[in-house]
Amino acid sequence: MFESLKPVGMDPILGLMAAFREDIRATKIDLGVGVYQDDRGRTPVMASVKEAEAQLMELETTKSYQGIAGDPEYNQRILQLLFGAGHSILDSGRIKTIQAPGGSGALRVGAEVIQRARPGAKLWVGVPTWPNHIPLLGGAGFEIVEYPYYNLNSHQIDTDAMMDALRQVPAGDMVLLHGCCHNPTGADLSNQQWDQIADLALERGFIPYIDTAYQGLGDGLDEDAYGVRMMADRLPELVIASSCSKNFGLYRERTGSITFITETPEQADIVAAQAMSVARQIYSMPPAHGALLVSLILGDKQLRANWEAELTEVRTRIQSMRSLLADNIQQNAAGIDFSHIKQQKGMFSFLGLNTAQLDQLRDEFGIYIVSSSRVNLAGINSSNIDYLSDSIISVLK
Ligand code: LMR
């Protein structure tokens, strides 16, 4: 039977990660996959997560099944993290969340539920977006329609073109938005732009599907949640996929959640049951470990304070690497302006280099960057910044 299968290429981001691991050069630099690295180039387990793991060793009394929706305390605490403890949506009965295997698992469960609710709905996706959004959400049956998001020349959101396109979205379609720290551009919607999109959603009747995978890595936990919180206030329906991969450093633990806001409490119960039925059909139950850690951290005053302090360190380190890189490579033979890197948010920005330059960086200098020229600023550190800047300047000659 398998003779009919054609070879399939490796995912571009994960393929680059594998190629980097095989490179034996001591000077190699990984600016590819979106994983945080500290100033020594390591991706350590956060100290607050380590402490929660130690507590869990003592507290955990069973490995029995948890249930399709995962850990109820985790679900509750994630809602408070996303919306802030006092948000009125939390007591409305119109909101339900279930734990999911990472942000990707959450996105897929959400997509499958939406497909069940409205089989013909199209998904409008900003260009560019995280490349895996297309197979992940398209694979659930969505027809994908693109809307312009980022202007490669101005390094800004193409606001007019984006709003013009969103004005064409028919009632009932879904619009994918990045909650914060846009992947791959780092160009985030301003609060005013969020408000304008909410106005349009109300006017046109489309429903935002927000992917929020970097809360806390942009401007702060509350600041990064502006769009999610405001839309929950104003819109009758909303779907939010969230992840603890980046802000808790729990990548391999696959810790995420899918949240639905519905028009009525009755609908919320039905949607949650549908989401659990989708999950049962695909993977039955989400993995427990990461969610139990998050729940312990968010539920304990001291652990939470420690985690927030670590997250602040992550955020400020990335911000300082943004400034350092932009300043170092601003003077270049090609006359390219890199100042946008300083203003953008989260892990990523585009360098704007072409394929030949990116190939040269990888082959000659051992610097790994995905083909869109998206760089993970967290891969930069005080030991590699000079070598990196010199290498970029040299391929720009
Ligand atoms: C990224 O964009 O690099 C991360 O979200 C990791 C991934 O799965 O692609």
PDB file of all heavy atoms in Angstrom, residues 22-46:
ATOM      1  N   GLU A  22      23.123  19.281  13.134  1.00  0.00           N
ATOM      2  CA  GLU A  22      24.167  18.469  12.490  1.00  0.00           C
ATOM      3  C   GLU A  22      25.416  19.268  12.147  1.00  0.00           C
ATOM      4  O   GLU A  22      26.462  18.694  11.875  1.00  0.00           O
ATOM      5  CB  GLU A  22      23.602  17.833  11.218  1.00  0.00           C
ATOM      6  CG  GLU A  22      22.862  16.550  11.549  1.00  0.00           C
ATOM      7  CD  GLU A  22      22.020  16.041  10.416  1.00  0.00           C
ATOM      8  OE1 GLU A  22      22.339  16.358   9.247  1.00  0.00           O
ATOM      9  OE2 GLU A  22      21.030  15.348  10.713  1.00  0.00           O
ATOM     10  N   ASP A  23      25.326  20.574  12.139  1.00  0.00           N
ATOM     11  CA  ASP A  23      26.468  21.426  11.787  1.00  0.00           C
ATOM     12  C   ASP A  23      27.493  21.355  12.929  1.00  0.00           C
ATOM     13  O   ASP A  23      27.157  21.583  14.085  1.00  0.00           O
ATOM     14  CB  ASP A  23      25.962  22.871  11.601  1.00  0.00           C
ATOM     15  CG  ASP A  23      27.008  23.776  10.965  1.00  0.00           C
ATOM     16  OD1 ASP A  23      28.211  23.574  11.238  1.00  0.00           O
ATOM     17  OD2 ASP A  23      26.622  24.680  10.204  1.00  0.00           O
ATOM     18  N   ILE A  24      28.752  21.037  12.568  1.00  0.00           N
ATOM     19  CA  ILE A  24      29.742  20.840  13.643  1.00  0.00           C
ATOM     20  C   ILE A  24      30.580  22.100  13.924  1.00  0.00           C
ATOM     21  O   ILE A  24      31.438  22.106  14.799  1.00  0.00           O
ATOM     22  CB  ILE A  24      30.693  19.645  13.334  1.00  0.00           C
ATOM     23  CG1 ILE A  24      31.308  19.828  11.939  1.00  0.00           C
ATOM     24  CG2 ILE A  24      29.982  18.321  13.452  1.00  0.00           C
ATOM     25  CD1 ILE A  24      32.493  18.915  11.698  1.00  0.00           C
ATOM     26  N   ARG A  25      30.311  23.190  13.205  1.00  0.00           N
ATOM     27  CA  ARG A  25      31.107  24.408  13.422  1.00  0.00           C
ATOM     28  C   ARG A  25      30.808  25.024  14.804  1.00  0.00           C
ATOM     29  O   ARG A  25      29.644  25.209  15.168  1.00  0.00           O
ATOM     30  CB  ARG A  25      30.807  25.438  12.328  1.00  0.00           C
ATOM     31  CG  ARG A  25      31.459  25.079  11.001  1.00  0.00           C
ATOM     32  CD  ARG A  25      31.007  26.001   9.902  1.00  0.00           C
ATOM     33  NE  ARG A  25      29.663  25.668   9.425  1.00  0.00           N
ATOM     34  CZ  ARG A  25      29.094  26.220   8.355  1.00  0.00           C
ATOM     35  NH1 ARG A  25      29.734  27.138   7.663  1.00  0.00           N
ATOM     36  NH2 ARG A  25      27.882  25.856   7.981  1.00  0.00           N
ATOM     37  N   ALA A  26      31.868  25.375  15.511  1.00  0.00           N
ATOM     38  CA  ALA A  26      31.694  25.931  16.858  1.00  0.00           C
ATOM     39  C   ALA A  26      31.051  27.318  16.800  1.00  0.00           C
ATOM     40  O   ALA A  26      30.413  27.764  17.760  1.00  0.00           O
ATOM     41  CB  ALA A  26      33.041  26.012  17.564  1.00  0.00           C
ATOM     42  N   THR A  27      31.207  27.991  15.681  1.00  0.00           N
ATOM     43  CA  THR A  27      30.706  29.369  15.571  1.00  0.00           C
ATOM     44  C   THR A  27      29.263  29.437  15.057  1.00  0.00           C
ATOM     45  O   THR A  27      28.730  30.532  14.853  1.00  0.00           O
ATOM     46  CB  THR A  27      31.582  30.175  14.596  1.00  0.00           C
ATOM     47  OG1 THR A  27      31.719  29.407  13.392  1.00  0.00           O
ATOM     48  CG2 THR A  27      32.950  30.461  15.186  1.00  0.00           C
ATOM     49  N   LYS A  28      28.631  28.295  14.844  1.00  0.00           N
ATOM     50  CA  LYS A  28      27.286  28.307  14.247  1.00  0.00           C
ATOM     51  C   LYS A  28      26.292  29.062  15.145  1.00  0.00           C
ATOM     52  O   LYS A  28      26.458  29.093  16.379  1.00  0.00           O
ATOM     53  CB  LYS A  28      26.802  26.879  13.997  1.00  0.00           C
ATOM     54  CG  LYS A  28      26.596  26.076  15.270  1.00  0.00           C
ATOM     55  CD  LYS A  28      26.135  24.656  14.955  1.00  0.00           C
ATOM     56  CE  LYS A  28      25.945  23.856  16.237  1.00  0.00           C
ATOM     57  NZ  LYS A  28      25.394  22.513  15.991  1.00  0.00           N
ATOM     58  N   ILE A  29      25.290  29.661  14.490  1.00  0.00           N
ATOM     59  CA  ILE A  29      24.276  30.438  15.228  1.00  0.00           C
ATOM     60  C   ILE A  29      22.891  30.031  14.736  1.00  0.00           C
ATOM     61  O   ILE A  29      22.620  30.028  13.536  1.00  0.00           O
ATOM     62  CB  ILE A  29      24.466  31.962  15.004  1.00  0.00           C
ATOM     63  CG1 ILE A  29      25.871  32.407  15.414  1.00  0.00           C
ATOM     64  CG2 ILE A  29      23.413  32.759  15.783  1.00  0.00           C
ATOM     65  CD1 ILE A  29      26.172  33.879  15.133  1.00  0.00           C
ATOM     66  N   ASP A  30      22.009  29.732  15.682  1.00  0.00           N
ATOM     67  CA  ASP A  30      20.651  29.316  15.325  1.00  0.00           C
ATOM     68  C   ASP A  30      19.677  30.478  15.497  1.00  0.00           C
ATOM     69  O   ASP A  30      19.306  30.831  16.611  1.00  0.00           O
ATOM     70  CB  ASP A  30      20.230  28.146  16.239  1.00  0.00           C
ATOM     71  CG  ASP A  30      18.847  27.630  15.881  1.00  0.00           C
ATOM     72  OD1 ASP A  30      18.299  28.058  14.844  1.00  0.00           O
ATOM     73  OD2 ASP A  30      18.318  26.791  16.644  1.00  0.00           O
ATOM     74  N   LEU A  31      19.280  31.066  14.368  1.00  0.00           N
ATOM     75  CA  LEU A  31      18.255  32.124  14.414  1.00  0.00           C
ATOM     76  C   LEU A  31      16.956  31.609  13.802  1.00  0.00           C
ATOM     77  O   LEU A  31      16.119  32.384  13.336  1.00  0.00           O
ATOM     78  CB  LEU A  31      18.748  33.369  13.660  1.00  0.00           C
ATOM     79  CG  LEU A  31      20.098  33.963  14.110  1.00  0.00           C
ATOM     80  CD1 LEU A  31      20.430  35.214  13.313  1.00  0.00           C
ATOM     81  CD2 LEU A  31      20.073  34.297  15.605  1.00  0.00           C
ATOM     82  N   GLY A  32      16.832  30.277  13.742  1.00  0.00           N
ATOM     83  CA  GLY A  32      15.689  29.665  13.054  1.00  0.00           C
ATOM     84  C   GLY A  32      14.476  29.462  13.950  1.00  0.00           C
ATOM     85  O   GLY A  32      13.690  30.387  14.168  1.00  0.00           O
ATOM     86  N   VAL A  33      14.348  28.267  14.471  1.00  0.00           N
ATOM     87  CA  VAL A  33      13.127  27.903  15.213  1.00  0.00           C
ATOM     88  C   VAL A  33      12.866  28.850  16.392  1.00  0.00           C
ATOM     89  O   VAL A  33      13.806  29.337  17.026  1.00  0.00           O
ATOM     90  CB  VAL A  33      13.203  26.424  15.671  1.00  0.00           C
ATOM     91  CG1 VAL A  33      14.281  26.228  16.734  1.00  0.00           C
ATOM     92  CG2 VAL A  33      11.860  25.918  16.147  1.00  0.00           C
ATOM     93  N   GLY A  34      11.604  29.105  16.662  1.00  0.00           N
ATOM     94  CA  GLY A  34      11.215  30.052  17.706  1.00  0.00           C
ATOM     95  C   GLY A  34      11.326  29.471  19.099  1.00  0.00           C
ATOM     96  O   GLY A  34      10.320  29.165  19.748  1.00  0.00           O
ATOM     97  N   VAL A  35      12.555  29.320  19.551  1.00  0.00           N
ATOM     98  CA  VAL A  35      12.817  28.812  20.895  1.00  0.00           C
ATOM     99  C   VAL A  35      13.734  29.830  21.571  1.00  0.00           C
ATOM    100  O   VAL A  35      14.695  30.297  20.962  1.00  0.00           O
ATOM    101  CB  VAL A  35      13.498  27.422  20.810  1.00  0.00           C
ATOM    102  CG1 VAL A  35      14.015  26.986  22.171  1.00  0.00           C
ATOM    103  CG2 VAL A  35      12.523  26.389  20.258  1.00  0.00           C
ATOM    104  N   TYR A  36      13.438  30.162  22.822  1.00  0.00           N
ATOM    105  CA  TYR A  36      14.248  31.152  23.535  1.00  0.00           C
ATOM    106  C   TYR A  36      15.630  30.589  23.863  1.00  0.00           C
ATOM    107  O   TYR A  36      15.767  29.422  24.224  1.00  0.00           O
ATOM    108  CB  TYR A  36      13.549  31.575  24.839  1.00  0.00           C
ATOM    109  CG  TYR A  36      14.361  32.573  25.617  1.00  0.00           C
ATOM    110  CD1 TYR A  36      14.485  33.875  25.162  1.00  0.00           C
ATOM    111  CD2 TYR A  36      15.050  32.205  26.775  1.00  0.00           C
ATOM    112  CE1 TYR A  36      15.268  34.798  25.860  1.00  0.00           C
ATOM    113  CE2 TYR A  36      15.819  33.123  27.474  1.00  0.00           C
ATOM    114  CZ  TYR A  36      15.931  34.409  27.001  1.00  0.00           C
ATOM    115  OH  TYR A  36      16.708  35.318  27.674  1.00  0.00           O
ATOM    116  N   GLN A  37      16.655  31.410  23.711  1.00  0.00           N
ATOM    117  CA  GLN A  37      17.995  31.043  24.182  1.00  0.00           C
ATOM    118  C   GLN A  37      18.480  32.161  25.101  1.00  0.00           C
ATOM    119  O   GLN A  37      18.227  33.338  24.837  1.00  0.00           O
ATOM    120  CB  GLN A  37      18.966  30.917  23.003  1.00  0.00           C
ATOM    121  CG  GLN A  37      18.596  29.815  22.010  1.00  0.00           C
ATOM    122  CD  GLN A  37      19.450  29.881  20.743  1.00  0.00           C
ATOM    123  OE1 GLN A  37      20.642  30.093  20.789  1.00  0.00           O
ATOM    124  NE2 GLN A  37      18.807  29.704  19.604  1.00  0.00           N
ATOM    125  N   ASP A  38      19.187  31.787  26.157  1.00  0.00           N
ATOM    126  CA  ASP A  38      19.718  32.813  27.060  1.00  0.00           C
ATOM    127  C   ASP A  38      21.035  33.357  26.522  1.00  0.00           C
ATOM    128  O   ASP A  38      21.452  33.003  25.404  1.00  0.00           O
ATOM    129  CB  ASP A  38      19.835  32.274  28.497  1.00  0.00           C
ATOM    130  CG  ASP A  38      20.872  31.157  28.623  1.00  0.00           C
ATOM    131  OD1 ASP A  38      21.662  30.955  27.675  1.00  0.00           O
ATOM    132  OD2 ASP A  38      20.884  30.486  29.667  1.00  0.00           O
ATOM    133  N   ASP A  39      21.700  34.195  27.291  1.00  0.00           N
ATOM    134  CA  ASP A  39      22.910  34.841  26.774  1.00  0.00           C
ATOM    135  C   ASP A  39      24.053  33.848  26.568  1.00  0.00           C
ATOM    136  O   ASP A  39      25.051  34.165  25.932  1.00  0.00           O
ATOM    137  CB  ASP A  39      23.346  35.989  27.703  1.00  0.00           C
ATOM    138  CG  ASP A  39      24.331  36.909  26.994  1.00  0.00           C
ATOM    139  OD1 ASP A  39      24.001  37.370  25.876  1.00  0.00           O
ATOM    140  OD2 ASP A  39      25.448  37.115  27.513  1.00  0.00           O
ATOM    141  N   ARG A  40      23.888  32.633  27.094  1.00  0.00           N
ATOM    142  CA  ARG A  40      24.925  31.612  26.851  1.00  0.00           C
ATOM    143  C   ARG A  40      24.476  30.641  25.760  1.00  0.00           C
ATOM    144  O   ARG A  40      25.075  29.583  25.582  1.00  0.00           O
ATOM    145  CB  ARG A  40      25.233  30.879  28.151  1.00  0.00           C
ATOM    146  CG  ARG A  40      25.984  31.813  29.125  1.00  0.00           C
ATOM    147  CD  ARG A  40      26.015  31.269  30.525  1.00  0.00           C
ATOM    148  NE  ARG A  40      26.811  30.055  30.628  1.00  0.00           N
ATOM    149  CZ  ARG A  40      26.843  29.290  31.716  1.00  0.00           C
ATOM    150  NH1 ARG A  40      26.133  29.621  32.769  1.00  0.00           N
ATOM    151  NH2 ARG A  40      27.589  28.206  31.747  1.00  0.00           N
ATOM    152  N   GLY A  41      23.400  31.002  25.066  1.00  0.00           N
ATOM    153  CA  GLY A  41      22.939  30.171  23.957  1.00  0.00           C
ATOM    154  C   GLY A  41      22.231  28.893  24.395  1.00  0.00           C
ATOM    155  O   GLY A  41      22.041  27.979  23.603  1.00  0.00           O
ATOM    156  N   ARG A  42      21.803  28.853  25.648  1.00  0.00           N
ATOM    157  CA  ARG A  42      21.106  27.653  26.125  1.00  0.00           C
ATOM    158  C   ARG A  42      19.608  27.916  26.214  1.00  0.00           C
ATOM    159  O   ARG A  42      19.183  29.065  26.338  1.00  0.00           O
ATOM    160  CB  ARG A  42      21.591  27.253  27.522  1.00  0.00           C
ATOM    161  CG  ARG A  42      23.087  27.004  27.638  1.00  0.00           C
ATOM    162  CD  ARG A  42      23.486  27.008  29.096  1.00  0.00           C
ATOM    163  NE  ARG A  42      22.834  28.117  29.807  1.00  0.00           N
ATOM    164  CZ  ARG A  42      22.882  28.301  31.119  1.00  0.00           C
ATOM    165  NH1 ARG A  42      23.519  27.469  31.881  1.00  0.00           N
ATOM    166  NH2 ARG A  42      22.274  29.344  31.671  1.00  0.00           N
ATOM    167  N   THR A  43      18.834  26.851  26.185  1.00  0.00           N
ATOM    168  CA  THR A  43      17.386  26.968  26.409  1.00  0.00           C
ATOM    169  C   THR A  43      17.091  26.240  27.716  1.00  0.00           C
ATOM    170  O   THR A  43      16.674  25.089  27.728  1.00  0.00           O
ATOM    171  CB  THR A  43      16.601  26.348  25.235  1.00  0.00           C
ATOM    172  OG1 THR A  43      17.035  26.976  24.032  1.00  0.00           O
ATOM    173  CG2 THR A  43      15.101  26.547  25.400  1.00  0.00           C
ATOM    174  N   PRO A  44      17.337  26.924  28.847  1.00  0.00           N
ATOM    175  CA  PRO A  44      17.213  26.223  30.126  1.00  0.00           C
ATOM    176  C   PRO A  44      15.757  26.061  30.553  1.00  0.00           C
ATOM    177  O   PRO A  44      14.886  26.801  30.082  1.00  0.00           O
ATOM    178  CB  PRO A  44      17.940  27.161  31.096  1.00  0.00           C
ATOM    179  CG  PRO A  44      17.846  28.512  30.466  1.00  0.00           C
ATOM    180  CD  PRO A  44      17.679  28.338  28.990  1.00  0.00           C
ATOM    181  N   VAL A  45      15.529  25.095  31.431  1.00  0.00           N
ATOM    182  CA  VAL A  45      14.206  24.992  32.061  1.00  0.00           C
ATOM    183  C   VAL A  45      14.114  26.179  33.017  1.00  0.00           C
ATOM    184  O   VAL A  45      15.048  26.444  33.776  1.00  0.00           O
ATOM    185  CB  VAL A  45      14.079  23.664  32.847  1.00  0.00           C
ATOM    186  CG1 VAL A  45      12.687  23.533  33.467  1.00  0.00           C
ATOM    187  CG2 VAL A  45      14.391  22.471  31.951  1.00  0.00           C
ATOM    188  N   MET A  46      13.010  26.918  32.994  1.00  0.00           N
ATOM    189  CA  MET A  46      12.876  28.066  33.899  1.00  0.00           C
ATOM    190  C   MET A  46      12.960  27.585  35.355  1.00  0.00           C
ATOM    191  O   MET A  46      12.474  26.492  35.671  1.00  0.00           O
ATOM    192  CB  MET A  46      11.531  28.763  33.671  1.00  0.00           C
ATOM    193  CG  MET A  46      11.471  29.577  32.387  1.00  0.00           C
ATOM    194  SD  MET A  46       9.795  30.216  32.143  1.00  0.00           S
ATOM    195  CE  MET A  46      10.144  31.918  31.777  1.00  0.00           C
TER     196      MET A  46
END
